[in-house]
Amino acid sequence: MEHVKCECGHVNPIGTMFCESCGKPFHNEDGLLDMRYEGSARRSITNRKTFVDKIWSFFSSVRVGVWLIFTTLVASAIGTIFPQQMYLPPNVTPGEYYADKYGTLGSLYYDLGFNNLYSSWWYMILIASIGISLVIASLDRVVPLYKALKKQGVTRHAGFLKRQRIFGSAEAANEEIEIVKEQLKKKRYNVRTENGNILAEKGRFSRWGPYVNHLGLIIFLFGTMLRFVPGMYVDESLWLREGETKEIPGTDGKYYIKNEKFIKEVYDKKKEDQVYNEAISRVGDKLIPKNYQTNAVLYKAKGKSVPGQKPELEKVEDYKIRVNEPLKIDNYALYQVDYKEGELSKMFLHLEKKDSGQKWGPIDIDLANPKEKYDLGEGKSIELLSYFPDFYFDENGKPNTKTKLPNNPAFVFKMYTPETPKGEVSFVAIRQNIEPEGKNKYKMTFAGIETRNATALTVRKDLTLWIIGLGGAIFMIGVMQGMYWNHRRLWIQRVNGQWWIAGHTNKNWYGFRNEIGKILQGTSIPAPQDKVTEKK
């Protein structure tokens, strides 16, 4: 049997606790009726036969939803213990970085995959599971609740009225009932009558507040998950040295940017207004930054890019990127976030004969892109065997590099001359010159350096922000909808020569009792009793 037919003639789905129309309880039990979902039949409770039913029942559980949220919060908290991989210094090996900097915990953090937590497949599954739980839990409750409230009749079964929390009976004249009806309308109740019986209702829309919350959360979660769809969200860092041109990350080779010049300005006490002089004097001799600025040129690639070939660039505009004054193009924004002054750009070295001190060169080594061979003429040449931009000796005593930034450059050269046709090997670093064989006739000597400034830009693109904002706004509407309004109903019905009064609200029973008292003012009808208050 899939339906239960009530004596009033209404056909109810199986599992309904009391009739959707007249309210007759289908179970002869004492105590108050469970009015959370108007006694409606929820699929998660009534249908548990098929695999789909079991999945539906699992995700519709509030307990499951709470555990999913709790697990996600714990995982998110763990993800903040150490920096995510995207925020590590450039050109480092993540596994070695976590182990060296944070020890055993850092190594375990990396091995368990928490270094890329927020883009990991299992974290995405958790987020998706919360969304599925919200959708199923909402549908499982809101659909039968809506149907039950829509089908509710004015005349209710005596058992329904008796088992309401607020209930009372009294003798009253019809004239007094008319006064009550007018008072209800003044209190903005929607009054329906049937055979002299009254159903007064207001604030039904507040019952949908939790489900509006769920809708807002679903949209919010959908927006956050869209950030992992290519092209929807970009948050990348871009380091540019003066004179350097690079592709803007996330634009798929469409846009390029050149750093013409980086400018750092500080406050000069002699040139500033008196207002600033006082602040400068308090700080002392320290230089207070006034402006960080990148004079940039934006380019657009012409035609289709060919792998291995530099694209033809077309100038779009010149722009001065300052803090909080980003360069914006299409949906991208480039922000000034960091800088580095005096970064090593070139190093100049001589080839020197050890016994006579005679020098050849110098050769200039571009530290960003060094050449493999340097010809000095007269049969003399230098071959670059190894380059360590950020040199250090590792645990085994071998030269290595921390990053690809030229913070502490070191080289392994092979020097060819007519006297040494097989070549001599030399290790050269700042203030270091090591000859592995110890019998070299020639050596590389320092001749000078060239520096330049570098700027750091953050590239942002976010097509999901409006979706996340919409979800947040809908969520707040649901919060207000459920917090500041109540769903109140009052049944006034003629039973066995007496007027029975029963009332129900989803919250704020104290305010509801006071409102009923004001509605009954001017009549001889006593206020109905609150059964819960009486027990206390």
Side-chain angles (χ1 to χ4, degrees), residues 42-55 57-58 60-61:
R42 290 164 47 205
R43 175 178 175 173
S44 60
I45 297 176
T46 57
N47 296 342
R48 292 188 174 181
K49 295 181 180 179
T50 66
F51 178 74
V52 174
D53 292 336
K54 292 178 181 179
I55 295 295
S57 179
F58 175 80
S60 68
S61 170

Side-chain angles (χ1 to χ4, degrees), residues 25-172:
F26 292 135
H27 305 283
N28 295 323
E29 299 176 359
D30 296 328
L32 302 178
L33 286 177
D34 185 356
M35 298 288 288
R36 283 183 302 171
Y37 309 111
E38 300 298 303
S40 55
R42 290 164 47 205
R43 175 178 175 173
S44 60
I45 297 176
T46 57
N47 296 342
R48 292 188 174 181
K49 295 181 180 179
T50 66
F51 178 74
V52 174
D53 292 336
K54 292 178 181 179
I55 295 295
W56 184 278
S57 179
F58 175 80
F59 280 107
S60 68
S61 170
V62 174
R63 181 178 298 177
V64 170
V66 170
W67 273 108
L68 287 172
I69 294 173
F70 176 76
T71 304
T72 305
L73 288 175
V74 171
S76 301
I78 294 174
T80 64
I81 294 176
F82 300 129
Q84 289 291 289
Q85 185 170 316
M86 68 178 73
Y87 300 114
L88 297 187
N91 307 317
V92 300
T93 303
E96 295 178 359
Y97 179 87
Y98 284 107
D100 294 341
K101 192 168 182 65
Y102 305 109
T104 304
L105 285 177
S107 181
L108 182 63
Y109 189 85
Y110 176 78
D111 292 338
L112 293 177
F114 285 106
N115 57 308
N116 281 317
L117 171 68
Y118 305 111
S119 59
S120 62
W121 62 269
W122 63 269
Y123 189 82
M124 289 294 100
I125 289 177
L126 277 177
I127 297 295
S129 298
I130 293 174
I132 293 171
S133 177
L134 287 171
V135 171
I136 292 179
S138 298
L139 291 176
D140 188 61
R141 290 161 175 80
V142 73
V143 173
L145 176 61
Y146 172 79
K147 290 180 179 179
L149 289 175
K150 187 176 181 180
K151 294 175 182 178
Q152 65 175 338
V154 174
T155 303
R156 288 295 205 175
H157 192 272
F160 175 86
L161 299 176
K162 280 184 177 181
R163 293 175 63 180
Q164 294 300 316
R165 174 171 169 172
I166 291 181
F167 176 76
S169 60
E171 298 287 346

Side-chain angles (χ1 to χ4, degrees), residues 215-428:
L215 176 62
L217 284 174
I218 292 166
I219 295 174
F220 184 90
L221 291 174
F222 177 71
T224 58
M225 293 186 69
L226 279 179
R227 290 191 165 194
F228 297 95
V229 176
M232 295 295 292
Y233 180 78
V234 175
D235 186 1
E236 299 282 352
S237 295
L238 175 64
W239 278 93
L240 273 176
R241 291 148 188 90
E242 288 180 338
E244 191 175 27
T245 302
K246 282 187 178 181
E247 176 189 340
I248 298 178
T251 63
D252 296 325
K254 184 178 180 181
Y255 290 106
Y256 289 74
I257 190 168
K258 181 180 180 181
N259 177 10
E260 289 280 2
K261 186 177 180 61
F262 174 77
I263 299 172
K264 176 186 175 183
E265 297 176 329
V266 297
Y267 284 100
D268 188 342
K269 188 174 181 179
K270 298 178 181 178
K271 298 180 181 179
E272 302 301 334
D273 295 336
Q274 188 66 31
V275 177
Y276 296 104
N277 287 343
E278 295 179 6
I280 295 172
S281 298
R282 285 198 303 270
V283 175
D285 296 332
K286 295 180 180 179
L287 297 177
I288 303 176
K290 181 179 181 180
N291 178 39
Y292 301 117
Q293 176 179 310
T294 301
N295 293 344
V297 182
L298 180 68
Y299 294 97
K300 185 176 182 179
K302 295 176 65 176
K304 295 182 179 179
S305 61
V306 178
Q309 293 185 6
K310 292 183 178 180
E312 184 181 354
L313 301 180
E314 178 183 9
K315 183 178 178 180
V316 178
E317 65 173 316
D318 295 308
Y319 195 87
K320 297 177 180 178
I321 304 174
R322 301 185 182 93
V323 176
N324 297 327
E325 295 181 20
L327 165 62
K328 294 184 178 180
I329 182 70
D330 293 344
N331 295 307
Y332 297 90
L334 280 74
Y335 293 87
Q336 179 72 53
V337 293
D338 202 355
Y339 69 96
K340 185 176 182 180
E341 292 181 300
E343 180 183 273
L344 296 177
S345 172
K346 290 184 178 180
M347 182 174 285
F348 301 95
L349 298 172
H350 281 118
L351 174 65
E352 181 179 341
K353 190 172 183 179
K354 295 170 66 175
D355 57 1
S356 65
Q358 186 179 0
K359 297 180 180 179
W360 292 266
I363 62 172
D364 62 291
I365 303 174
D366 184 350
L367 299 178
N369 186 25
K371 294 189 296 185
E372 294 183 0
K373 292 186 177 181
Y374 299 86
D375 188 3
L376 298 175
E378 301 178 4
K380 299 177 178 63
S381 63
I382 307 296
E383 181 181 354
L384 178 62
L385 300 180
S386 299
Y387 171 43
F388 308 96
D390 198 356
F391 159 71
Y392 77 104
F393 283 114
D394 61 20
E395 296 176 353
N396 299 320
K398 295 182 179 180
N400 207 334
T401 183
K402 297 177 183 177
T403 68
K404 289 188 177 181
L405 298 177
N407 297 323
N408 183 28
F411 313 88
V412 177
F413 292 111
K414 197 162 189 179
M415 304 168 289
Y416 294 95
T417 68
E419 295 179 65
T420 56
K422 293 183 179 181
E424 295 178 332
V425 177
S426 177
F427 178 86
V428 180

